[in-house]
Amino acid sequence: MSILENPNQIIRPEILGLSPYHVQAASGMIKLDAMENPYPLPPALLEEIAQLAASAPINRYPDARADSLKFALRQALGIPSEMEILLGNGSDEIIQIIAMAVAKPNAVLLSVEPAFAMFRMIATFTNIQYVGVPLQKDFSLNLEAMLGVIAHHRPAVTFLAYPNNPTGNLFDADAILSIIQASSGLVVIDEAYQAFAGVSFMEQLTHFPNLLVMRTLSKLGLAGLRLGLLAGRSGWLMQFEKVRLPYNVGIMTQLIAEKVLQHTSVLLEQAETIKSERSKMNTYLNSLEQVEVFPSNANFILFRVDKADHIFEALKRHNILIKKLDGSHPLLENCLRVTIGTPDENKQFCTALDTILNQ
Ligand code: PMP
């Protein structure tokens, strides 16, 4: 066999050893697996977007600085005026940009377990040593263990999602502040689910030189546009800018995101509806004696149920797709995660779960 037919000879062993990020087939299903906002934009706004798209100069490269979009984001998300903004093709790409920029030999990326899978995966892509400190059984931070690892490994960067995915909880804010203060490296607070939690570290940026705050528009209703952002001091962001590919945010994303941000109240009202549906879903799941529910500040709920694998497959047969976490980490044994959908979708999920549990 020629060397060109044999990936084992060419591809890095740590890449050969990875499983690809798994996206489940969802065609025709009630899709409650990926923390998307289930609501469309109002027709008048869609009409404005159609006009913008029709006249967009797609023969030209997009604005590489995207100043006008950054201004709209600054207003909509309350980014302190003295902080800079870096844009990414989703916040996934921002994690990658940061990792690439800090990937010296022996650099360490610290996070918790279980956490968003891309922290670990991107550490592997970029040849950074990954350290994941297990959460406590109730998914709170193990502060002592975190501080121990910080003292021992001196991580170049620590990623903490606030609220955390897949657990849905907010870590204790004072514990996070202790981690920021104890770290000689960067601490990135990933606020992907901020709209459903109401709390933020954005205001703390001015107090801590090693703090960065990451957001995304994905969970707010624009997952298909792919727009994430990082807010922080220019000293850091000007270095990350060198790693960012010049045209990473396309013209359609720039134009549409800016337009929708002129109507942020639409997205925030949708987030409020999702929160009230979350509370109904929480009450329902708590009423089931076979189910252990974990409190959520995000747009999804994690729960534990016997034979989670069987329940997950049975829900699929009812045309409902959620996420199976069982098997991905010991703390997530028999755990499933359901994204909050429309009232009708949530009702269908609850009815199907009820039927399955009582069979
Ligand atoms: N951070 C967290 C905690 C997430 O759960 C996700 C998406 N699941 C992301 C970042 C990435 O989001 P996006 O790339 O769509 O901005």
Side-chain angles (χ1 to χ4, degrees):
M1 195 194 291
S2 119
I3 191 170
L4 293 178
E5 291 168 51
N6 185 0
N8 293 350
Q9 309 252 329
I10 297 287
I11 304 293
R12 288 159 43 200
E14 56 276 28
I15 304 297
L16 290 170
L18 280 178
S19 313
Y21 186 82
H22 181 57
V23 178
Q24 309 181 87
S27 171
M29 301 195 82
I30 295 177
K31 197 170 179 311
L32 302 177
D33 65 324
M35 286 80 99
E36 292 145 330
N37 170 344
Y39 300 106
L41 293 170
L45 185 49
L46 287 175
E47 184 52 42
E48 286 187 61
I49 290 172
Q51 282 171 18
L52 267 181
S55 59
I58 56 172
N59 56 319
R60 303 288 177 198
Y61 283 109
D63 177 356
R65 295 168 46 96
D67 283 334
S68 149
L69 171 57
K70 283 185 191 165
F71 182 76
L73 285 164
R74 196 176 275 291
Q75 305 288 109
L77 305 183
I79 298 170
S81 56
E82 60 276 42
M83 295 299 149
E84 287 297 323
I85 300 173
L86 173 91
L87 300 183
N89 189 322
S91 44
D92 284 346
E93 193 192 35
I94 293 177
I95 303 167
Q96 190 179 49
I97 289 172
I98 297 170
M100 283 195 288
V102 303
K104 290 188 199 171
N106 305 319
V108 167
L109 184 155
L110 170 64
S111 192
V112 293
E113 295 270 316
F116 180 40
M118 292 313 288
F119 299 149
R120 176 199 275 269
M121 287 189 79
I122 287 173
T124 305
F125 303 161
T126 51
N127 245 330
I128 299 188
Q129 187 192 340
Y130 172 81
V131 178
V133 173
L135 295 172
Q136 316 262 23
K137 267 193 144 168
D138 63 355
F139 301 128
S140 60
L141 278 176
N142 184 340
L143 182 59
E144 210 183 306
M146 290 293 283
L147 295 179
V149 166
I150 290 167
H152 182 248
H153 287 283
R154 302 180 70 80
V157 60
T158 299
F159 282 92
L160 290 173
Y162 183 77
N164 189 41
N165 171 21
T167 56
N169 58 316
L170 284 166
F171 299 134
D172 180 68
D174 286 334
I176 294 181
L177 290 176
S178 305
I179 288 168
I180 297 168
Q181 281 168 318
S183 298
S184 54
L186 294 166
V187 178
V188 180
I189 305 299
D190 174 355
E191 297 188 341
Y193 301 97
Q194 191 275 338
F196 313 101
V199 286
S200 171
F201 276 79
M202 198 66 92
E203 298 274 304
Q204 300 289 352
L205 279 173
T206 43
H207 299 129
F208 299 101
N210 59 337
L211 174 63
L212 298 163
V213 174
M214 192 165 72
R215 294 273 184 95
T216 176
L217 299 189
S218 295
K219 321 297 171 181
L220 267 173
L222 302 175
L225 281 189
R226 309 300 299 127
L227 187 68
L229 69 125
L230 185 71
R233 290 170 194 242
S234 64
W236 298 116
L237 268 59
M238 64 196 272
Q239 301 304 327
F240 299 144
E241 276 293 339
K242 299 177 194 171
V243 180
R244 182 182 68 83
L245 297 177
Y247 304 116
N248 64 332
V249 180
I251 187 163
M252 289 302 180
T253 298
Q254 292 194 28
L255 290 173
I256 298 171
E258 190 180 340
K259 172 56 68 187
V260 177
L261 288 169
Q262 289 163 5
H263 305 267
T264 315
S265 59
V266 170
L267 302 181
L268 297 180
E269 278 163 30
Q270 292 177 344
E272 283 309 311
T273 310
I274 290 168
K275 279 162 69 179
S276 89
E277 281 297 304
R278 174 183 72 197
S279 147
K280 286 186 214 160
M281 179 86 92
N282 188 54
T283 307
Y284 166 74
L285 288 171
N286 268 308
S287 74
L288 303 171
E289 58 183 47
Q290 303 99 316
V291 171
E292 182 186 1
V293 190
F294 297 98
S296 169
N297 292 281
N299 61 343
F300 58 85
I301 295 180
L302 184 78
F303 61 97
R304 177 172 282 133
V305 61
D306 272 354
K307 302 198 183 113
D309 191 34
H310 160 77
I311 307 272
F312 171 75
E313 293 299 333
L315 282 166
K316 272 215 257 188
R317 286 193 289 277
H318 282 80
N319 219 29
I320 295 168
L321 187 64
I322 64 169
K323 176 86 175 175
K324 186 178 72 159
L325 276 316
D326 179 52
S328 65
H329 189 275
L331 286 170
L332 295 173
E333 194 185 349
N334 272 329
C335 281
L336 300 172
R337 184 190 70 197
V338 58
T339 300
I340 309 300
T342 62
D344 183 50
E345 290 171 334
N346 301 335
K347 221 173 276 162
Q348 293 197 52
F349 163 78
C350 294
T351 309
L353 184 60
D354 211 59
T355 309
I356 295 161
L357 287 173
N358 290 306
Q359 257 160 11

